[in-house]
Amino acid sequence: MFDIKIRLISMLGLLTFIVLGGLILDYRKMLRRPKRIGIGMAVLGIAIGVFLTLCAVLPDNNVFGKVFVESETSRKVVALTFDDGPYSPYTEQLLDILKEYNVPATFFLVGENVQKNPELVRRIAYEGHQLGNHTYHHVDLLKSDKKTIAEEVDHTSKVIAAITGTAPHVVRPPHGFRDPVVMEIMAERSLKVVEWSVMSRDWTNPGVEVIVDRTVKKVKNGSIILLHDGDGTASEAPRIQSVEAARRIIQTLMAQGYQFVTVDEILNKTEDIK
Ligand SMILES: [Zn+2]
């Protein structure tokens, strides 16, 4: 949609200028007749600012570039995705559950955690799961400059490739936040940006029951489910609730006839019903 790559922060800066300009014009009783154009400018500036910010932080829109949120398919398939790992012992516990139910998942890994836990990364790959890039320091890319964004992404791909032999081709920006420049940097690297369609705010540890309920009731054919086996780079918050919820989500959805696939596989299903 945007051919000129402008940072969100620059757009908001310009809009702030327009809003203030509009308010000053109105205060000075200028441009008031026949309509209060100054106030109109201010209101429009605020509305555009809110819209652009929502486009940057909400997962389900392509305003700044194509993101993958879910698949349109008539088949009962879903993809489990886990962010912020690897984080011991929770990633191991989760891998045990996935193995028990023979369920493939996709792990969006934080580079710093990858470097601390190479064996765990090797195990994730060896057990047939897909690996994705989730930046090196789990930074807010909207607040990072272009060079930092590139380094965050490249460094993570490099450490994952050094351990597994393959660099990821999917990326999830931390918190899902992106703007035109973030999207351009990902496109230059042929990285598909993957968001999600089902989230339960599991990172707040609201209780296993709550995570399971919030997830299961939103799932439909082609959903991409977001859960967390890690906790940013801090790796402090426990993730036992997410791990236990993953088991229950798998049991419940399997009983409903769903099949679990990786992000790559679910994106390939998009053409099914077209
Ligand atoms: Zn994250």
Side-chain angles (χ1 to χ4, degrees):
M1 186 168 171
F2 285 87
D3 282 338
I4 307 163
K5 308 298 177 195
I6 307 173
R7 298 310 312 263
L8 175 70
I9 197 84
S10 310
M11 293 188 254
L12 294 181
L14 178 65
L15 288 166
T16 305
F17 189 72
I18 291 170
V19 170
L20 289 176
L23 291 174
I24 290 168
L25 283 174
D26 190 74
Y27 180 73
R28 298 206 163 172
K29 299 189 169 42
M30 294 162 83
L31 289 180
R32 277 193 171 194
R33 281 158 203 265
K35 294 250 160 59
R36 294 178 75 169
I37 292 173
I39 288 290
M41 274 168 61
V43 171
L44 190 63
I46 291 168
I48 295 173
V50 169
F51 171 75
L52 292 175
T53 305
L54 289 176
C55 291
V57 303
L58 294 179
D60 189 9
N61 73 85
N62 294 314
V63 171
F64 296 134
K66 173 74 185 156
V67 297
F68 294 90
V69 177
E70 63 184 352
S71 174
E72 285 189 31
T73 174
S74 54
R75 294 189 200 160
K76 292 198 87 165
V77 286
V78 288
L80 281 174
T81 66
F82 296 94
D83 284 12
D84 296 9
Y87 176 22
S88 190
Y90 307 108
T91 305
E92 287 97 324
Q93 293 167 354
L94 179 63
L95 286 169
D96 291 344
I97 292 170
L98 296 173
K99 193 189 246 177
E100 188 184 330
Y101 292 90
N102 196 22
V103 161
T106 304
F107 289 79
F108 287 94
L109 304 175
V110 171
E112 192 178 297
N113 299 341
V114 168
Q115 238 170 0
K116 283 186 201 155
N117 303 280
E119 280 306 322
L120 208 36
V121 176
R122 216 164 280 136
R123 181 177 166 197
I124 297 171
Y126 181 76
E127 295 187 357
H129 305 293
Q130 186 176 351
L131 277 62
N133 187 322
H134 197 43
T135 75
Y136 197 83
H137 295 104
H138 202 261
V139 287
D140 178 350
L141 298 181
L142 296 178
K143 294 181 187 159
S144 309
D145 62 32
K146 214 172 165 176
K147 185 166 166 275
T148 306
I149 300 169
E151 282 170 2
E152 283 284 328
V153 173
D154 292 342
H155 197 182
T156 305
S157 289
K158 210 169 139 188
V159 290
I160 292 175
I163 294 168
T164 66
T166 317
H169 55 266
V170 290
V171 64
R172 178 173 283 159
H175 321 289
F177 295 174
R178 73 279 182 197
D179 69 6
V181 169
V182 171
M183 295 302 290
E184 183 186 34
I185 290 169
M186 303 312 181
E188 283 167 1
R189 287 153 179 77
S190 301
L191 284 164
K192 285 182 187 171
V193 178
V194 179
E195 301 270 335
W196 58 87
S197 59
V198 175
M199 72 140 170
S200 55
R201 300 181 61 80
D202 66 311
W203 63 90
T204 60
N205 286 327
V208 175
E209 201 73 33
V210 176
I211 299 172
V212 175
D213 285 353
R214 284 179 185 166
T215 303
V216 168
K217 73 177 180 205
K218 283 186 225 155
V219 164
K220 60 185 181 69
N221 294 352
S223 290
I224 297 180
I225 301 169
L226 167 66
L227 288 166
H228 290 76
D229 64 324
D231 172 37
T233 49
S235 297
E236 281 170 357
R239 286 291 171 248
I240 192 64
Q241 289 189 13
S242 300
V243 170
E244 210 28 62
R247 177 193 292 280
R248 301 258 307 276
I249 290 165
I250 290 169
Q251 289 170 339
T252 309
L253 294 181
M254 272 184 165
Q256 293 176 8
Y258 282 100
Q259 185 199 344
F260 290 87
V261 294
T262 61
V263 157
D264 265 359
E265 289 169 85
I266 209 152
L267 295 184
N268 286 338
K269 307 266 181 215
T270 305
E271 306 304 320
D272 281 3
I273 55 171
K274 286 185 178 158

